[in-house]
Structure formats: C-alpha cells, structure tokens
Amino acid sequence: MSTSLIDLLVEDGIATLTFNRPDKRNAMSDDMRAEFIVALERVQADKAIRALVLTGAGKGFCAGGDIAGMERRMSAPTGEIAFNGWHRQQRVHYTQTLLHTMPKPVIAAVNGAASGLGADTALACDFIIASDAASFSWSYIHRGIVPDGGGMYFLPRRVGLAKAKELIFSGRKVEAEEALQLGIVDRRSDAEGLLAEAQRWAAEMSRGSPTALALGKTILNQSFELSSHQVFAQGSQAQGICYTSTEHRESVMTFLAKTGANKESAQ
C-alpha cells in the first residue's frame, strides 16, 4: 500500500495523478500540496508525458483544505496570521497555476465530492469527467472566506457570471447531473469506467503535435482577456514556431508523399 499522499503513474504517455488521503477524503494538507507540486513539475518537464489525468483515491475527489491546517492558522499569534496566510496563498496559487498552465491536456476524473479547493482544482483542468457519485460545492462561504483556488476566475467562464455568483454565495452542492447541465462537467461516466474513460480521452486529446497543443492552450487560456488583435498577434508568433517544429515538417512531408503517390496512380 502506498504511503505517498500523491501517487503518480505514467503509462503509454499518459500520467495519472491520484490524491491519496482517502481517510480524509483527500483534503489538501501542506505536505500533500508539496508532493502535488513536485508531481506537477515532473509532468510539466517530462516530454514523454503527453497528457495528465487527475483523480482521487477512495470515495472523494478532494474535500478542500485540510482542517488541521485551518486549526494551526487560527492558533497562530495575531501578528503572524496575515503573513502566514499570504505565504500559504502563494503556494496555493503556484500549485493551481502549474495545473492551469500545464503545456499538455489535463483531465479531472472526479470520482466523488469535490469541495472548496477540490472543486477549484477540477476547474483548473482543461476538461472534467465525473462519475455518478461526483458532486461539486464552492463551500468557502460556510467558513467565512472566498474561493482562493481560482474558482472566482474559472467558474464564471464555465457557467456564466450570475450562476457562478449563485453557487459561490450559497455554497450549495451541485450533483453530477446538474453539473453536466450547467457546463461544470464536460462528460459523465459510471464509477467503474471513470478512470479508464478519462485516460482514453486524455490519449485522444494528446495525439496531435505537442508543440501546437502547448502553444494553442497558452493562447486559449488568455483568450477571454485579450483583444482579437492580441490573439491574432500571439497566434502568428505561435504559428511561426510551429512551422519550424519536427511534427509539422514530418506531417507535411508525409502528406506530400501521399499526394504525389495518388497523382501517379491516377495517371
């Protein structure tokens, strides 16, 4: 049995990262976040890994922040609470940014409850597939705080501003079927087939040129904030890089060779 808080398995170019605190519903502790960062940095740097699938061990995906960490924060001297909180936020934001800007497709396979930071973590992925047992809640309001894992950025982009406000202000639970209808979830699966389907989807999304995928994702992630002129400009720069890539050259040469053969056979 693994003693790691984060399990990372790579098979056929697809990395599967599993939150491994099932007894705590995979709540994110400081130690778990440290392992999470190391795993994400490895996936980001390894060119042999084409895509990442994120899931949770046991019945939950991620229950959010660890209660023990909250207790430590409350017991800190008054004069240190703000700076300690700021330092923690830097780690949270670094982790979420690593996930969001990963230069390859990332799929969250949500197997159970995704609450607070867990829900934000799913949103930081490119795609979300959920089992029938999955649920989502931005429950920060119940602790007197605001979403700090990107929910205020990602959620309006999936469900619209008014619905995002409703979900964040109420902190209510969203079951899998409603999540699919709202656009929080992209696909649903039964519990038994969830991980395998997520891995198949990851393989499908990562068949193309890694260069084109990385550059395209980088621009798409900014497209709501950029003007059309800026998107065109960044696209032009990206295309210039793609023109020099091995994948582009090989695909064009293969296409030309096939076209030439077809012309000869038609004569």
Side-chain angles (χ1 to χ4, degrees):
M1 182 176 180
S2 175
T3 58
S4 299
L5 301 174
I6 296 290
D7 284 342
L8 184 64
L9 174 67
V10 180
E11 188 173 2
D12 296 329
I14 306 301
T16 301
L17 190 156
T18 304
F19 298 135
N20 191 30
R21 293 186 77 202
D23 57 321
K24 302 294 184 182
R25 294 190 300 141
N26 300 315
M28 187 71 67
S29 65
D30 290 342
D31 289 342
M32 183 173 169
R33 181 175 294 108
E35 290 189 29
F36 192 20
I37 289 172
V38 170
L40 290 175
E41 289 176 336
R42 176 190 164 187
V43 172
Q44 181 184 64
D46 190 342
K47 292 183 179 180
I49 296 175
R50 302 193 314 273
L52 171 64
V53 172
L54 197 66
T55 194
K59 296 183 178 180
F61 177 74
C62 177
D66 183 56
I67 293 177
M70 297 179 192
E71 291 176 342
R72 287 194 298 272
R73 186 166 68 249
M74 294 295 292
S75 63
T78 302
E80 297 178 11
I81 290 176
F83 182 74
N84 289 347
W86 176 86
H87 184 267
R88 176 186 175 277
Q89 288 295 302
Q90 302 312 297
R91 296 283 285 174
V92 172
H93 296 164
Y94 177 65
T95 308
Q96 299 300 89
T97 299
L98 275 174
L99 191 57
H100 176 54
T101 62
M102 183 70 62
K104 51 199 77 178
V106 182
I107 297 175
V110 180
N111 54 301
S115 307
L117 182 60
D120 283 351
T121 298
L123 288 181
C125 300
D126 298 308
F127 308 104
I128 302 174
I129 182 171
S131 78
D132 298 334
S135 65
F136 300 81
S137 62
W138 286 267
S139 50
Y140 298 88
I141 195 72
H142 301 317
R143 301 293 175 265
I145 54 178
V146 299
D148 62 357
M152 291 191 289
Y153 179 85
F154 298 123
L155 190 57
R157 283 159 175 75
R158 278 193 170 259
V159 303
L161 182 58
K163 179 55 68 173
K165 288 179 179 178
E166 187 258 309
L167 295 176
I168 290 171
F169 293 175
S170 69
R172 70 177 180 86
K173 181 187 293 187
V174 180
E175 303 290 353
E177 179 57 33
E178 183 184 5
L180 183 64
Q181 293 173 356
L182 291 176
I184 296 169
V185 167
D186 302 298
R187 295 184 182 183
R188 279 184 66 185
S189 170
D190 58 68
E192 291 75 18
L194 175 69
L195 189 56
E197 187 170 343
Q199 291 166 338
R200 284 194 296 269
W201 193 11
E204 178 186 345
M205 290 293 98
S206 60
R207 286 183 187 137
S209 160
T211 303
L213 282 170
L215 293 171
K217 177 175 175 175
T218 299
I219 297 170
L220 285 167
N221 278 351
Q222 306 173 71
S223 59
F224 284 2
E225 288 75 42
L226 299 178
S227 67
S228 60
H229 174 77
Q230 291 170 311
V231 172
F232 278 124
Q234 289 196 22
S236 296
Q237 294 171 353
Q239 197 72 307
I241 296 171
C242 288
Y243 284 156
T244 67
S245 70
T246 301
E247 307 97 83
H248 174 68
R249 180 175 180 81
E250 289 179 348
S251 66
V252 170
M253 295 303 291
T254 300
F255 176 76
L256 292 175
K258 182 178 180 181
T259 302
N262 289 339
K263 286 182 179 179
E264 290 177 5
S265 64
Q267 293 177 352

